[in-house]
Amino acid sequence: MKLSDKKATLSFSDGSAPIDFPIYQGTVGPDVIDIRKLYGQTGMFTYDPGFMATASCSSAITYIDGDKGELLYRGYPIEQLAVKCDFLDICYLILNGELPDAAQKADFDSQVTHHTMVNEQLHFFLRGFRRDAHPMAVLTGLVGALSAFYHDSLDITNPQHRHISAIRLIAKMPTLVAMAYKYSQGQPFIYPQNDLSYTGNFLRMMFATPCEDYKVNEVVERALDRIFILHADHEQNASTSTVRLCGSSGTNPFAAIAAGVACLWGPAHGGANEACLQMLEQLQAEGGVAKVGEFMEKVKDKNSGVRLMGFGHRVYKNYDPRAKLMQQTCKEVLAALGLENDPLFKLSMELERIALEDQYFVDRKLYPNVDFYSGIVQRAIGIPTALFTANFALARTVGWIAQWNEMLSDPDYKIGRPRQLFTGSVTRDVPDRKKK
């Protein structure tokens, strides 16, 4: 952080002396007012529900400019990374700060590839779940359970332990997600295969059976790899903040990531693409494209209770840069699989057309977000709707573990302890409750 020449002055209407606070500058984005001494100097806290105006940390990993529709990983625009890199390139970049050269790439890919297997006892753990359990319930349990198997790397003060934990989590997450899926289908688990790419291996573990050889579709592989890239990190969102807050207590990385998985499960966060596809399926069942206009009118009516999922974003006040990439990917996948006339895709195109032309949506900048198209792509690939959020967790794991590692390396790191504005009862005495 760079100290600004300017200061912020807090003045009071009761005549109390004003107080100065330092201002720090980031490399890009808004400056921050350092209020760490606010309580000590004034006896007051700030009030910011949802932390919408509070920087909880300093970070060098991901930057978002919502007004411009800009997303950067370590300074690189997402539009370039998604086209020129694969997911493990992005993992290396997010973890280490730079893209790998050829030797670093080969070494990192090998490390991840050779850590994809999980302990056989996890099979027994998995069988304790009902087969119709939501994959996120299963994944939360499996990720947390990893800490019971890797006692050799749980010293969070040791950078080497943190590194091996990061590799293990990135490598094993596809295996765990695929296991959760296979278990729900009553099919045998498929073990990793080291001669495949990270994403190709995941597809094989998901869809192969012992009955016949499985060939990875390159278009599908590239599309899913792009989905992983677009979801790898997204600044201080709810699940990332959860991982940091959980990790700030000194807990092990597997527990911290499990907390992130649990937070991601919510429909307002990682479950958004699942909710979006459910909306499309319901609209299709009620009449499809012919009913889109009527549906959008209901969306504009605040009293109808009808919500438009997959449009707008809490951060982006312009077009989500990831959505443009996913629209292109969606077209490629549907063409490769012979699904160009997929009714849900046609439905989504009509929804997007109205949203981009209707003044109501334009004024509110309700543009399609990444969830709008990623659900259609995953459905076309054959991934069930309930598994969408688990795939999101798979991709976001690298961002979570990088943010956790960055926090532990920060000299200003402290256990998280948000404050509150107490609105309950003042001190009072318990009445005499003895029977007379």
Side-chain angles (χ1 to χ4, degrees):
M1 294 189 296
K2 179 183 177 182
L3 186 63
S4 172
D5 294 333
K6 298 186 296 182
K7 291 183 179 180
T9 301
L10 176 65
S11 60
F12 302 88
S13 60
D14 64 357
S16 300
I19 300 172
D20 290 337
F21 294 100
I23 296 175
Y24 287 97
Q25 299 173 322
T27 49
V28 289
D31 296 344
V32 298
I33 302 170
D34 184 353
I35 61 167
R36 283 176 286 185
K37 295 182 179 179
L38 176 68
Y39 179 69
Q41 293 180 296
T42 68
M44 291 185 285
F45 301 128
T46 56
Y47 183 62
D48 183 22
F51 307 108
M52 295 296 290
T54 299
S56 61
C57 63
S58 62
S59 180
I61 299 172
T62 302
Y63 174 73
I64 298 170
D65 188 323
D67 294 328
K68 293 181 180 179
E70 183 178 63
L71 170 61
L72 309 176
Y73 292 163
R74 300 288 191 178
Y76 294 105
I78 191 64
E79 297 89 340
Q80 296 178 26
L81 293 172
V83 173
K84 298 179 180 180
C85 302
D86 66 24
F87 180 63
L88 287 185
D89 288 327
I90 302 305
C91 289
Y92 186 95
L93 170 67
I94 288 175
L95 288 173
N96 299 291
E98 300 292 341
L99 286 166
D101 59 27
Q104 291 167 333
K105 167 73 170 168
D107 179 61
F108 183 77
D109 286 10
S110 177
Q111 286 185 57
V112 172
T113 297
H114 290 89
H115 279 87
T116 51
M117 289 189 66
V118 298
N119 193 291
E120 284 289 290
Q121 285 181 267
L122 278 173
H123 292 185
F124 300 106
F125 186 91
L126 186 61
R127 291 186 175 102
F129 291 97
R130 288 169 50 119
R131 289 200 183 268
D132 61 354
H134 195 285
M136 290 297 281
V138 176
L139 193 60
T140 303
L142 291 178
V143 173
L146 290 177
S147 60
F149 295 93
Y150 298 108
H151 300 288
D152 62 333
S153 59
L154 297 183
D155 181 2
I156 64 170
T157 64
N158 186 324
Q160 184 58 30
H161 282 204
R162 299 203 299 268
H163 171 74
I164 191 60
S165 292
I167 296 296
R168 282 172 169 160
L169 278 158
I170 294 166
K172 297 179 192 307
M173 192 64 80
T175 309
L176 297 179
V177 173
M179 285 172 63
Y181 172 66
K182 286 297 192 183
Y183 181 70
S184 72
Q185 299 299 301
Q187 294 183 7
F189 303 127
I190 302 297
Y191 288 92
Q193 189 168 305
N194 290 351
D195 62 345
L196 295 175
S197 71
Y198 183 89
T199 304
N201 188 39
F202 175 62
L203 285 166
R204 180 179 175 275
M205 289 190 291
M206 283 281 293
F207 299 119
T209 68
C211 309
E212 56 189 8
D213 291 334
Y214 178 82
K215 182 172 176 58
V216 177
N217 182 310
E218 292 183 359
V219 175
V220 170
E221 178 184 14
R222 186 167 60 249
L224 191 57
D225 199 71
R226 180 169 289 182
I227 288 176
F228 292 164
I229 290 172
L230 299 180
H231 288 87
D233 196 50
H234 210 238
E235 218 190 73
Q236 304 309 313
N237 53 79
S239 58
T240 299
S241 298
T242 297
V243 170
R244 278 182 173 263
L245 188 59
C246 182
S248 74
S249 71
T251 191
N252 69 77
F254 304 104
I257 301 305
V261 174
C263 180
L264 191 69
W265 192 353
H269 192 11
N273 54 10
E274 185 177 342
C276 180
L277 193 64
Q278 289 170 348
M279 176 197 73
L280 290 174
E281 289 174 339
Q282 182 177 347
L283 184 54
Q284 178 64 26
E286 294 174 352
V289 173
K291 295 290 184 179
V292 170
E294 181 182 326
F295 173 79
M296 294 297 261
E297 288 303 314
K298 290 180 181 178
V299 170
K300 292 190 284 186
D301 180 1
K302 294 181 179 180
N303 298 318
S304 70
V306 176
R307 293 187 62 196
L308 180 62
M309 306 302 296
F311 286 76
H313 196 279
R314 188 177 184 181
V315 173
Y316 296 109
K317 306 307 176 189
N318 204 316
Y319 207 101
D320 182 344
R322 302 169 301 169
K324 296 178 183 178
L325 294 160
M326 277 313 307
Q327 185 192 60
Q328 174 191 343
T329 299
C330 190
K331 292 178 180 177
E332 292 172 358
V333 169
L334 294 177
L337 298 179
L339 299 173
E340 301 96 323
N341 295 319
D342 179 77
L344 289 193
F345 183 63
K346 288 187 174 181
L347 188 58
S348 68
M349 290 291 95
E350 182 62 12
L351 282 171
E352 181 180 36
R353 183 191 68 78
I354 293 175
L356 294 179
E357 295 177 0
D358 190 300
Q359 203 60 42
Y360 176 89
F361 299 102
V362 172
D363 289 344
R364 289 161 178 77
K365 297 185 177 180
L366 293 176
Y367 304 115
N369 60 41
V370 69
D371 300 313
F372 185 63
Y373 289 107
S374 64
I376 298 173
V377 172
Q378 292 186 75
R379 174 180 174 272
I381 291 171
I383 296 170
T385 306
L387 207 71
F388 289 178
T389 315
N391 284 350
F392 191 163
L394 186 167
R396 184 56 56 84
T397 294
V398 63
W400 288 334
I401 201 68
Q403 296 270 354
W404 170 82
N405 187 47
E406 182 182 60
M407 176 192 69
L408 293 176
S409 304
D410 189 343
D412 289 332
Y413 148 65
K414 293 179 177 63
I415 185 171
R417 181 59 171 88
R419 300 295 188 168
Q420 66 176 16
L421 174 63
F422 182 68
T423 58
S425 176
V426 296
T427 303
R428 51 183 173 172
D429 294 323
V430 177
D432 186 0
R433 302 175 62 84
K434 292 181 180 179
K435 293 183 180 179
K436 296 182 179 178

